[in-house]
Amino acid sequence: MTKYKSSGVKQSVYNAIHGLKLAFCSQRNFVIEVCISFFVFVLASFLNFSVTDLCLLIVMTAIVLICELFNSVIEFTLDAVYKNQYSNLVKMAKD
């Protein structure tokens, strides 16, 4: 047996939800973007957006949130590699 054995759909969903909770609790920008997205969807419902417009809005919102999560992954990886020590390279990458 290998340690990389597939753990099943239930475990994958659990891990995904745990990761989203971690991002929501630790990433201020992610929380801000989720709140703005919520208000945009409420506004879109009041303005009677078409189904096509709502689908595009959902896709664009998902892209923004996914990019924020990728940014967080890069930042966490750089912090781990440089052991949370100050580095000009890490500062440039995070800026």
Side-chain angles (χ1 to χ4, degrees), residues 8 35 39 41 60 65 68 70 76 89-90:
C35 291
F39 289 119
F41 285 122
M60 293 300 120
L65 295 175
E68 182 62 39
F70 275 128
F76 280 132
L89 291 174
V90 173

Side-chain angles (χ1 to χ4, degrees), residues 29-43 61:
N29 288 341
F30 186 75
V31 174
I32 291 169
E33 290 164 359
V34 167
C35 291
I36 290 171
S37 299
F38 173 77
F39 289 119
V40 167
F41 285 122
V42 169
L43 184 63
T61 302

Side-chain angles (χ1 to χ4, degrees), residues 17-18 24 57 70 95:
I17 291 171
H18 180 72
F24 201 77
L57 188 61
F70 275 128
D95 290 341

Side-chain angles (χ1 to χ4, degrees), residues 24-71:
F24 201 77
C25 292
S26 66
Q27 300 299 312
R28 183 185 67 193
N29 288 341
F30 186 75
V31 174
I32 291 169
E33 290 164 359
V34 167
C35 291
I36 290 171
S37 299
F38 173 77
F39 289 119
V40 167
F41 285 122
V42 169
L43 184 63
S45 69
F46 283 125
L47 295 176
N48 295 325
F49 276 28
S50 68
V51 173
T52 305
D53 291 340
L54 284 175
C55 289
L56 287 173
L57 188 61
I58 290 169
V59 169
M60 293 300 120
T61 302
I63 289 172
V64 168
L65 295 175
I66 289 168
C67 287
E68 182 62 39
L69 291 174
F70 275 128
N71 180 46

